[in-house]
Amino acid sequence: MNNVVDLDNCGPSATAVARLWTAVIPAAGQGLRLESPEPKILFPLLGRPILDWLLDLLRPVCERYVFVLSPTGIGKVQPIVKARLGDRASI
């Protein structure tokens, strides 16, 4: 069963509405079980941080992003998020 919606084939109104979405991203994982010194959202998966995969997936359907970060991870994650998304992201 394929649950993926191809917004490019849904017509202009579906794409326009989808681009108004805001993604709330719980990213407070510290990466301890992964035995990583980095927050979980920065853990590399297939050569790229999980954050990169997530943003690439959400970009076609989201205009804004809200990240929920841990106090210990905010210093490492916030600069990367702001560099990639600028004012489109809130921490």
Side-chain angles (χ1 to χ4, degrees):
M1 181 176 189
N2 187 351
N3 292 327
V4 176
V5 176
D6 183 1
L7 291 174
D8 293 329
N9 292 321
C10 290
S13 62
T15 303
V17 170
R19 292 186 198 277
L20 299 177
W21 291 358
T22 296
V24 177
I25 302 169
Q30 296 179 18
L32 297 177
R33 286 178 287 182
L34 297 171
E35 299 179 6
S36 173
E38 300 295 328
K40 191 179 299 181
I41 195 82
L42 299 180
F43 188 78
L45 184 64
L46 298 175
R48 298 173 59 205
I50 292 172
L51 176 63
D52 285 353
W53 292 104
L54 183 62
L55 294 179
D56 289 349
L57 176 71
L58 294 173
R59 182 173 299 135
V61 295
C62 292
E63 180 62 29
R64 305 231 3 106
Y65 304 82
V66 177
F67 288 83
V68 181
L69 302 171
S70 70
T72 58
I74 195 167
K76 292 183 177 181
V77 178
Q78 185 176 18
I80 296 168
V81 166
K82 289 298 185 177
R84 291 255 341 242
L85 299 172
D87 291 339
R88 294 173 52 202
S90 300
I91 306 291

